[in-house]
């Protein structure tokens, strides 16, 4: 055996699911739609509907058969019922056994065959071949009630709870189909029989209840299908409920005390047929609040209702009660009911724009057509733009049909809808509201980029997938009940709710829309009803309201709800007035042209009548002439007969004259006819010429209008292209400028880093030199002290060292002289360089060379004798401090007067330009001086190394 899965939209085969060896008699689907359980007599299998693969399989012993396996509503629990009356509850994800119900008592033990669960999954009803019903509390996991059916009931074939939109899923009415073909509906709390369907003559074979509990479909034993209305079957539902608002009467003022501020008020709850009549009435004690009287005024409506409570009620049940829907709408919209102002609009009569409304919208009901004409005319008299709005009849028709018995309420509902939920619709009139459609497209792009890209790939704009829904306010794609349920939520929320509904409708319909590829298919989809759950759409709208970012959320672009003013209706001028005035002028000109055409046509018809009358007169005259001619011929024949014998010749002459006269008369008659025909042809030609001229003018006017429209469109496209080109050039220029600025900043940063590195290197070099010098002094001092202590056993070595010292003293004297000369030369060189290189940065490099040479010279001069080394070191330090102070003075005079940390980084650009200009002048002189200094340093270094090599060997 196998199961077949078909698509509800495409009606095509999706998958095959194989695995059962016997016939499947039960299918249960999880509330999320992801899993399904199929049950046969020997096994139950859990399927993953995303992949159509079997997830788990329940195998049992052949002696213990499966009765039913199903999901609990609004839960993740699987309930399995076996033929031995054992009932287990399993976790869907882990298939862990949560609990097992205890066995029923032996006094009322029955074999369970049928089961039913309430919508909240708390109560399980079980029955079988007995007139007893067992009610299990699944939360307490125990049997809490046994109901005994009438004695006529011997077996129970089917059980199902009757849903109620206002009982929060705790269904109280249970339908029981017994073996006699009668389905009885009982209250499980009061155990009373409410009503029953079917009879012994027309028994019910099977039955099912609609999800909302409004209808019952039953297949009778004779093969017929009966549909029952629950409201018609139950008398309690048809009874008017108690009022929601009750008046509290104050006590007499003379007897009012502080203890009398408490009063008991009975709750005005609606008692549904599932509730018990004998239940005690709940009472509440209200304390008079003298401090918070003006709190939450924005949530209090004009009729005493609270908007927040209505929203909580709406979220709980999905819609308002049918009996109170119009009352709640009037309260939410805060309709002023301006009878005088509305009467003044109605007294102006039918607007000219809607005189021929029945030709464009052929409505069968004459009453509905008249109400629609009056409503549209009142809107057109209220604001001139509505006389030229082509989609206004589509927008107003569902409300006209709903409020056709109260035209004032109908007009004010439509006017409130236009002011609040149609904001910014008319800014681009007569075009669709591009700004509103852009909001919708931005929200759709954020939440479903794939669907929007699919639209773009097939050239489907928001005027195809959004505007048809807005201009008809979803009346074309929803049924009456769905439309009312949707507008319960629209009127209870911010005006942006309607725009997000369009996005939610597209997202919920994404599967069939992604399969469409032709524009005609998309247009057909958004103009006809589709298989879509409106509750899912509304839930998606609330999800979009919470998850849409603030920068693209429509509620930031739309104003909050504003009610109509009392007394007089507000002025509506949120539209381009010049376009409406121009269209009004054009329509008046066309009407005048039609009147001229009608006058000319009447003139032509009058002329045609005169021509016809003249033709009739001419024919009468010709007939009269013919009679006279015949009479004359008769008289002549008589005369000829009398004078036949006497005047033969005169007879011949008379005959010739007669023939000539007849010919002349025929010629005159032919000429007369030709003349009349010529006049008639001329008049017809003139008439055709006038008609051709009129048609030509009309055609030319149409062509001019079409050309003007095309020119406007081309101009708009040109402006758009120029705008994009300017934006592109501006972006490119900004990027170029930013890149140049970044490059300049990077170059300046590298320059600053280089200068700072050079400056810090100079400072570090000076510090390192001083540290090395001090360290060398300390080492030599320690060596001298150690040499003095060990003089007893180093006498021979001291004599040799003295000889060596004398030699080294001579060398040191020479070296000192050379160093002094070198210092003087270096001072001269430095002075010359400081004079020529006053504002340059080459001083740092020369100073580095000078510091290195001093370091080497001082290191060589400090060999072994402390007194000579100290003297030389002091001279070197004095020599170093002198030029250094001069150099620092020169450097400080060259650099800007800023902080030490920013001296190098804030060099003026003019200094670099001057350095580059002077560099070529003194480059040769600088190179000569540097070569001389290097040669002198090399000679001194070689001489010092050669002289100090022997003492080091002796010391070791």
């Amino acid at each position: 055996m196998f199961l077949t899965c078909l698509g509800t939209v495409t009606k095509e085969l999706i998958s095959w699911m194989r695995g059962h060896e016997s016939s499947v008699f039960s299918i249960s689907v999880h509330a999320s739609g992801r899993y399904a359980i199929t049950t046969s007599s020997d096994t139950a299998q859990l399927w993953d509907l995303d992949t159509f693969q079997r997830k788990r399989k329940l195998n049992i012993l052949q002696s213990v058969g499966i009765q039913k396996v199903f999901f609990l509503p609004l839960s993740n629990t699987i309930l399995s019922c076996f033929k031995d009356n054992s009932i287990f509850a399993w976790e869907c994800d882990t298939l862990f056994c949560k609990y097992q119900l205890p066995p029923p008592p032996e006094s009322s033990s029955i074999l369970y065959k049928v089961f039913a669960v309430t919508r909240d999954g708390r109560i399980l009803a079980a029955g079988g071949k007995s007139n007893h019903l067992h009610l299990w509390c699944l939360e307490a996991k125990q049997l809490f009630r046994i109901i005994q059916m009438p004695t006529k009931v011997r077996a129970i074939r089917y059980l199902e709870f009757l849903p109620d939109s206002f009982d929060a899923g705790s269904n109280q009415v249970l339908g029981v189909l017994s073996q006699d073909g009668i389905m009885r509906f009982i209250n499980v709390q009061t155990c009373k029989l409410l009503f029953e369907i079917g009879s012994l003559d027309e028994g019910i074979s099977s039955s099912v209840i609609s999800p909302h509990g409004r209808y019952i479909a039953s297949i009778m034993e004779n093969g017929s299908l009966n549909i029952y209305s629950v409201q018609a079957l139950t008398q309690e539902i048809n009874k008017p409920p108690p009022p929601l608002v009750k008046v509290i009467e104050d006590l007499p003022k003379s007897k009012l005390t502080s203890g009398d501020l408490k009063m008991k008020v009975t709750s005005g709850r609606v008692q549904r047929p599932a509730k018990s009549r004998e239940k005690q009435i709940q009472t509440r004690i209200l304390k008079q609040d003298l401090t918070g009287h003006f709190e939450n005024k924005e949530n209090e409506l004009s009729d005493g209702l609270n908007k927040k409570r209505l929203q909580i009620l709406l979220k709980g049940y999905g819609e308002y009660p049918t009996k109170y829907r119009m009352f709640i709408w009037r309260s939410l919209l805060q309709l002023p009911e301006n009878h005088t102002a509305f009467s003044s609009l109605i007294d102006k009569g039918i607007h000219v724009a809607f005189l021929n409304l029945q030709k464009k919208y052929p409505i069968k009901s004459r009453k509905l057509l008249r109400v629609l004409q009056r409503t549209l005319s009142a809107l057109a008299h209220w604001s001139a733009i509505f006389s030229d709005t082509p989609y206004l009849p589509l927008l107003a028709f569902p409300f006209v049909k709903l409020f056709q018995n109260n035209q004032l309420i109908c007009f004010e509902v439509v006017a409130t809808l236009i002011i609040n939920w149609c904001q910014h619709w008319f800014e681009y009139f007569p075009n669709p509201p591009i700004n509103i459609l852009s909001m919708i497209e931005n929200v759709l792009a954020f939440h479903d980029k794939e669907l929007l890209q699919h639209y773009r790939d097939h050239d489907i704009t928001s005027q195809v997938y959004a505007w048809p829904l807005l201009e008809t306010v979803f009346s074309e794609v929803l049924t009456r009940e769905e439309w009312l349920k949707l507008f319960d939520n629209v009127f209870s929320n911010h005006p942006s709710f309607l725009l997000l509904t369009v996005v939610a409708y597209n997202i919920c319909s994404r599967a069939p829309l992604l399969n469409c590829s032709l524009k005609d298919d998309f247009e057909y989809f958004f103009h006809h009803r589709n298989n879509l759950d409106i509750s899912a759409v509304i839930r998606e709208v609330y999800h979009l309201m919470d998850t849409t970012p603030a920068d693209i959320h429509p509620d930031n672009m739309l104003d909050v709800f504003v009610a109509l003013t009392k007394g007089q209706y507000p002025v509506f001028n949120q539209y381009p007035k010049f376009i409406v005035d121009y269209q009004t002028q054009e329509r008046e000109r066309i009407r005048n042209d039609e009147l001229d055409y009608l006058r000319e046509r009447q003139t032509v018809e009058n002329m045609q009548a005169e021509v016809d009358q003249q033709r009739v007169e001419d024919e009468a005259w010709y007939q009269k002439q013919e009679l006279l001619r015949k009479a004359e011929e008769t008289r002549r024949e008589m005369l000829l007969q009398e004078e036949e014998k006497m005047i033969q010749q005169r007879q011949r002459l008379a005959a010739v004259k007669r023939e000539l006269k007849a010919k002349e008369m025929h010629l005159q008659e032919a000429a007369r006819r030709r003349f009349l025909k010529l006049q008639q042809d001329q008049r017809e030609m003139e008439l055709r010429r006038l008609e051709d001229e009129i048609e030509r003018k009309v055609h030319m006017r149409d062509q001019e209008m079409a050309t003007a429209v095309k020119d406007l469109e081309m101009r708009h496209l040109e402006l758009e292209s120029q705008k994009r080109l300017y934006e592109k050039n501006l972006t490119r220029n900004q990027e170029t400028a930013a890149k140049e600025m970044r490059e300049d900043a990077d170059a300046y940063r590298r320059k600053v880093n280089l200068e700072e590195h050079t400056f810090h290197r100079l400072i570090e070099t000076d510090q390192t030199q001083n540290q090395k010098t001090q360290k060398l002094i300390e080492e030599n001092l320690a060596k001298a002290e150690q040499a003095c202590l060990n003089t007893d056993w180093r006498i021979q070595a001291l004599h040799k060292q003295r000889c060596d010292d004398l030699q080294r003293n001579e060398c040191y004297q020479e070296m000192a002289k050379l160093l002094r000369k070198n210092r003087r030369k270096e001072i001269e060189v430095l002075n010359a360089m400081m004079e020529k290189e006053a504002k340059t940065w080459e001083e740092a490099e020369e100073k580095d060379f000078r510091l290195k040479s001093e370091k080497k010279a001082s290191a060589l001069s400090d060999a072994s004798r402390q007194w000579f080394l100290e003297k030389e070191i002091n001279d070197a330090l004095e020599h170093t401090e002198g030029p250094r102070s001069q150099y620092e003075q020169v450097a400080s005079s060259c650099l800007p007067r800023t902080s030490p940390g920013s001296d190098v980084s804030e060099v003026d650009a003019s200094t670099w330009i001057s350095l580059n200009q002077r560099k070529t002048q003194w480059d040769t002189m600088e190179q000569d001086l540097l070569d001389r200094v290097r040669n002198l340093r090399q000679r001194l270094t070689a001489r010092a190394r050669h002289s100090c090599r022997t003492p080091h060997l002796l010391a070791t």
Side-chain angles (χ1 to χ4, degrees):
M1 298 295 293
F2 55 85
L3 297 174
T4 304
C5 296
L6 301 175
T8 58
V9 178
T10 60
K11 298 180 177 57
E12 296 179 354
L13 178 63
I14 296 178
S15 176
W16 297 85
M17 295 190 296
R18 296 179 175 87
H20 284 282
E21 297 179 356
S22 58
S23 60
V24 176
F25 57 79
S26 173
I27 298 177
S28 177
V29 181
H30 192 264
S32 63
R34 183 178 178 183
Y35 302 110
I37 295 177
T38 58
T39 308
S40 60
S41 59
D42 56 350
T43 182
Q45 299 185 14
L46 178 63
W47 302 89
D48 189 347
L49 296 183
D50 292 337
T51 61
F52 297 99
Q53 299 293 327
R54 184 173 62 189
K55 188 176 181 182
R56 289 295 179 90
K57 181 179 181 181
L58 176 62
N59 294 319
I60 60 172
L61 298 176
Q62 295 181 354
S63 59
V64 181
I66 298 176
Q67 201 66 260
K68 190 174 182 179
V69 181
F70 56 94
F71 286 103
L72 289 181
L74 304 177
S75 175
N76 205 26
T77 304
I78 301 174
L79 210 63
S80 60
C81 308
F82 301 95
K83 292 183 180 181
D84 58 355
N85 277 10
S86 59
I87 300 176
F88 293 87
W90 309 84
E91 183 67 28
C92 177
D93 296 331
T94 62
L95 293 181
F96 176 76
C97 182
K98 300 174 66 176
Y99 58 85
Q100 178 184 0
L101 296 181
E106 296 180 357
S107 60
S108 179
S109 179
I110 58 176
L111 293 178
Y112 294 150
K113 295 290 184 182
V114 289
F115 305 89
V117 184
T118 56
R119 291 178 62 187
D120 56 4
R122 295 181 178 180
I123 298 176
L124 170 67
K129 291 184 179 181
S130 176
N131 63 346
H132 285 188
L133 278 176
H134 289 184
L135 297 181
W136 293 85
C137 179
L138 297 181
E139 291 183 344
K141 304 176 186 60
Q142 63 182 359
L143 181 67
F144 75 95
R145 183 166 300 167
I146 298 176
I147 300 176
Q148 183 177 359
M149 299 297 292
T151 56
K152 298 178 182 180
V153 178
R154 297 189 303 273
I156 297 174
R157 295 164 50 188
Y158 181 71
L159 292 175
E160 186 172 2
F161 282 95
L162 181 64
D164 194 342
S165 300
F166 302 97
D167 58 5
S170 58
N171 310 127
Q172 304 296 321
V173 180
L174 177 63
V176 182
L177 178 61
S178 57
Q179 87 289 342
D180 56 0
I182 299 175
M183 191 168 186
R184 298 171 176 84
F185 288 84
I186 62 173
N187 191 314
V188 296
Q189 298 295 333
T190 61
C191 297
K192 288 187 177 181
L193 179 64
L194 301 178
F195 62 92
E196 59 184 21
I197 58 176
S199 62
L200 296 176
D201 297 332
E202 293 183 359
I204 298 176
S205 176
S206 62
S207 182
V208 66
I209 303 175
S210 63
H212 297 285
R214 297 174 182 172
Y215 303 101
I216 303 172
S218 300
I219 299 177
M220 314 305 290
E221 293 179 352
N222 56 7
S224 61
L225 177 65
N226 292 356
I227 306 296
Y228 299 94
S229 174
V230 176
Q231 291 185 353
L233 293 173
T234 57
Q235 296 180 356
E236 293 184 358
I237 294 180
N238 293 329
K239 289 182 179 180
L244 293 175
V245 181
K246 291 190 176 183
V247 179
I248 302 174
E249 296 181 356
D250 295 333
L251 295 175
K253 295 183 179 179
S254 60
K255 298 180 180 180
L256 184 63
T257 61
S258 61
D260 295 332
L261 292 177
K262 295 182 180 180
M263 55 192 73
K264 291 185 178 181
V265 182
T266 59
S267 62
R269 294 186 179 180
V270 179
Q271 293 189 5
R272 307 300 294 176
K275 302 292 183 180
S276 174
R277 294 183 181 177
E278 300 175 357
K279 189 176 181 179
Q280 295 181 356
I281 299 176
Q282 297 180 1
T283 60
R284 297 179 183 177
I285 298 176
L286 300 180
K287 294 183 179 180
Q288 186 175 2
D289 190 2
L290 300 178
T291 59
H293 181 66
F294 297 100
E295 294 181 358
N296 297 327
K297 279 295 183 182
E298 66 276 5
N299 295 320
E300 295 294 335
L301 303 179
S302 60
D303 296 308
L305 300 180
N306 187 279
K307 188 174 182 180
K308 286 188 176 179
R309 293 184 179 179
L310 289 176
Q311 289 177 347
I312 294 173
L313 176 67
L314 181 63
K315 289 184 178 179
Y317 298 106
E319 59 182 336
Y320 292 128
T322 304
K323 294 184 179 180
Y324 302 106
R325 177 176 279 117
M326 300 301 105
F327 171 72
I328 293 174
W329 281 17
R330 292 168 63 180
S331 301
L332 289 173
L333 299 180
Q334 304 178 21
L335 302 183
E337 298 185 12
N338 299 327
H339 294 275
T340 305
F342 179 71
S343 299
S344 64
L345 294 176
I346 292 296
D347 293 340
K348 294 181 181 180
I350 303 300
H351 198 274
V352 180
F354 304 109
L355 287 175
N356 299 323
L357 184 65
Q358 67 277 7
K359 294 182 179 179
K360 188 174 182 180
Y361 301 99
I363 302 175
K364 294 181 180 180
S365 176
R366 303 299 299 174
K367 176 185 176 182
L368 189 60
L369 178 62
R370 288 194 301 271
V371 174
L372 181 61
Q373 273 187 324
R374 292 175 183 175
T375 305
L376 296 178
S377 300
L379 291 171
H381 293 312
W382 176 43
S383 182
I385 190 174
F386 298 129
S387 61
D388 298 324
T389 305
Y391 55 86
L392 185 63
L394 300 175
L395 181 71
F397 180 73
F399 298 98
V400 171
K401 192 173 182 180
L402 191 63
F403 299 98
Q404 57 182 327
N405 295 325
N406 194 336
Q407 299 181 29
L408 171 63
I409 299 300
C410 177
F411 171 79
E412 291 185 350
V413 169
V414 176
T416 306
L417 178 72
I418 292 174
I419 290 177
N420 293 277
W421 283 271
C422 300
Q423 298 180 37
H424 309 293
W425 279 30
F426 307 98
E427 294 180 357
Y428 293 89
F429 184 83
N431 298 318
I434 302 175
N435 48 355
I436 299 296
L437 299 180
S438 299
M439 295 181 195
I440 296 174
E441 187 172 355
N442 291 335
V443 177
L444 181 61
F446 179 80
H447 292 282
D448 199 338
K449 295 181 180 179
E450 181 183 358
L451 182 58
L452 182 61
Q453 187 62 37
H454 180 69
Y455 286 153
R456 292 176 177 173
D457 294 340
H458 296 86
D459 296 332
I460 302 301
T461 62
S462 56
Q463 298 185 15
V464 176
Y465 65 82
W467 182 235
L469 302 177
L470 290 177
E471 67 179 357
T472 61
V473 288
F474 292 89
S475 60
E476 283 186 346
V477 298
L478 299 178
T479 61
R480 175 186 172 88
E481 298 297 332
E482 294 174 343
W483 187 85
L484 292 174
K485 187 174 182 179
L486 172 62
F487 269 83
D488 284 343
N489 292 270
V490 171
F491 288 151
S492 301
N493 289 277
H494 192 270
S496 61
F497 189 91
L498 184 62
L499 304 183
L500 294 177
T501 305
V502 177
V503 181
Y505 188 87
N506 281 266
I507 293 175
C508 293
S509 305
R510 68 189 312 273
L513 289 174
L514 291 176
N515 293 327
C516 295
S517 59
L518 299 178
K519 187 175 183 180
D520 295 338
D521 295 340
F522 287 101
E523 293 178 350
Y524 180 86
F525 184 86
F526 290 104
H527 284 281
H528 294 79
R529 294 178 182 176
N530 303 288
N531 186 15
L532 187 64
D533 185 9
I534 191 62
S535 300
V537 176
I538 295 173
R539 289 195 298 271
E540 183 65 22
V541 175
Y542 283 109
H543 175 70
L544 295 179
M545 296 253 323
D546 296 335
T547 58
T548 301
D551 55 347
I552 63 173
H553 204 293
D555 60 359
N556 294 331
M557 295 79 167
L558 302 180
D559 298 331
V560 296
F561 174 80
V562 178
L564 296 177
T565 56
K566 292 187 177 181
Q568 293 293 332
Y569 295 115
V571 177
F572 185 81
N573 55 2
Q574 300 176 3
Y575 58 88
K577 191 173 182 299
F578 66 94
I579 295 180
V580 178
D581 295 341
Y582 173 75
Q583 291 186 352
T584 305
Q585 295 174 1
E586 286 295 316
R587 188 168 54 255
E588 189 66 25
R589 185 180 61 81
I590 293 172
R591 188 179 295 109
N592 293 331
D593 293 342
E594 290 179 352
L595 293 176
D596 294 339
Y597 168 72
L598 293 175
R599 284 195 295 268
E600 292 177 359
R601 183 175 179 180
Q602 186 64 32
T603 302
V604 172
E605 290 178 354
N606 294 335
M607 293 174 63
Q608 184 67 29
E610 292 178 359
V611 170
D612 294 339
Q613 185 178 1
Q614 186 67 31
R615 185 169 60 252
V616 170
E617 292 177 357
D618 291 342
E619 290 178 356
W621 182 79
Y622 287 137
Q623 290 178 0
K624 186 176 181 180
Q625 292 294 326
E626 185 68 22
L627 294 174
L628 291 175
R629 186 182 63 78
K630 290 180 180 180
E632 185 178 359
E633 288 179 352
T634 303
R635 289 194 298 271
R636 286 177 181 178
E637 287 178 356
M638 292 172 64
L639 291 175
L640 288 172
Q641 288 177 2
E642 292 177 357
E643 297 176 357
E644 183 176 3
K645 297 178 180 178
M646 296 174 59
I647 313 170
Q648 296 267 338
Q649 189 176 1
R650 290 180 63 181
Q651 287 181 354
R652 294 190 187 116
L653 181 60
V656 172
K657 287 182 179 181
R658 196 166 49 248
E659 291 175 359
L660 292 175
K661 188 67 175 176
K663 290 181 180 180
E664 184 179 357
M665 290 175 65
H666 285 301
L667 291 174
Q668 289 179 358
E669 184 179 1
R672 180 70 175 175
R673 291 178 179 176
R674 285 197 299 272
F675 178 74
L676 293 174
K677 186 176 181 182
L678 180 61
Q679 287 183 345
Q680 183 179 0
D681 294 337
Q682 289 178 353
R683 298 291 173 84
E684 290 177 356
M685 290 177 63
E686 184 67 20
L687 180 61
R688 286 195 298 271
R689 187 183 65 80
L690 291 175
E691 291 178 353
D692 294 337
E693 184 68 20
I694 292 171
E695 292 178 357
R696 187 178 62 81
K697 288 183 178 180
V698 172
H699 183 66
M700 289 177 63
R701 183 175 65 253
D702 294 339
Q703 287 184 346
E704 291 175 356
M705 292 178 66
T707 304
V709 171
K710 291 181 179 179
D711 292 341
L712 289 175
E713 293 178 352
M714 291 299 295
R715 181 59 180 167
H716 181 69
L717 293 175
E718 291 176 359
L719 292 175
E720 289 293 333
S721 62
Q722 291 179 1
K723 179 182 176 182
R724 293 176 181 174
L725 181 61
Y726 293 156
E727 291 177 352
K728 183 178 180 182
N729 293 334
L730 180 60
T731 305
R732 187 180 300 167
N733 294 334
Q734 290 178 353
E735 292 178 355
T736 304
K739 185 176 180 181
E740 293 177 355
M741 291 177 65
R742 287 195 299 271
E743 292 177 355
D744 295 338
D746 294 337
Y748 179 76
R749 194 181 301 109
R750 289 193 298 269
K751 181 187 72 176
V752 169
N753 293 333
L754 180 61
E755 294 171 355
E756 289 180 353
H757 176 71
T758 306
F759 182 76
H760 289 302
R761 184 180 176 185
L762 179 62
I763 296 174
E764 290 174 359
T765 304
D766 190 10
Q767 294 177 355
T768 303
Q769 180 63 33
N770 293 332
Q771 291 176 359
K772 288 184 177 181
T773 303
Q774 183 177 359
K775 183 177 180 180
L776 186 60
I777 291 171
E778 292 175 354
E779 290 177 356
N780 292 332
L781 181 61
K783 289 179 181 180
E785 291 177 354
Q786 185 67 28
C788 294
L789 293 174
N790 298 330
T791 53
D792 294 332
W793 60 278
R794 290 184 177 180
I795 295 174
Q796 188 177 357
L798 283 175
H799 288 292
K800 293 181 180 180
Q801 288 179 359
R802 287 177 182 175
C803 296
D804 294 336
D805 288 340
L806 291 175
Q807 295 178 359
R808 282 198 297 275
N809 279 334
E810 294 177 358
C811 294
Y812 290 161
Q813 291 294 332
E814 290 183 17
M815 289 175 62
K817 292 179 181 180
L818 292 174
L819 286 174
R820 292 189 185 94
K821 292 180 181 180
N822 188 17
R823 292 191 191 104
R824 288 194 296 272
K825 290 181 180 180
E826 286 180 354
I827 291 171
E828 292 176 358
V829 170
L830 289 174
N831 291 331
M833 289 175 66
M834 284 189 293
E835 290 177 358
K836 293 181 181 180
E837 301 175 6
K839 294 180 181 181
T840 63
W841 286 98
E842 295 294 333
E843 298 164 349
E845 183 179 359
E846 292 298 323
K847 187 174 182 180
D848 184 61
F849 289 150
R850 182 171 59 82
L851 290 174
K852 289 180 179 180
S853 63
E854 290 176 359
K855 177 181 177 181
K856 293 178 181 179
S858 61
L860 294 173
S861 63
D862 297 333
S864 62
R865 300 292 296 174
Q866 182 63 31
W867 62 272
F868 184 75
L869 293 175
E870 289 180 356
K871 181 180 178 182
E872 292 301 323
I873 288 170
N874 291 330
D875 294 339
L877 289 174
E878 290 176 359
H879 171 65
T880 303
E881 291 175 358
R884 182 179 300 168
S885 61
Q886 295 178 1
Y887 180 76
E888 288 177 354
Q889 292 177 1
V890 175
S892 61
S893 63
C894 294
L895 295 174
R897 299 293 181 177
T898 57
S899 61
S902 61
D903 286 342
V904 182
S905 61
E906 297 180 357
V907 178
D908 198 16
S910 59
T911 306
W912 288 95
I913 297 173
S914 61
L915 291 175
N916 292 327
Q917 292 177 354
R918 294 184 179 182
K919 186 174 182 180
T920 55
Q921 298 178 2
W922 49 265
D923 193 11
T924 55
M925 185 182 295
E926 178 187 6
Q927 189 65 34
D928 295 337
L929 292 173
L930 290 175
D931 293 339
R932 293 173 59 186
V933 170
R934 289 191 186 95
N935 294 329
L936 180 60
R937 287 174 180 173
Q938 289 176 0
R939 288 197 301 271
L940 291 173
T941 301
R943 186 177 299 175
R945 289 178 179 176
H946 180 72
S947 61
C948 66
R949 187 174 300 170
T950 304
H952 285 293
L953 293 174
L954 293 174
T956 57

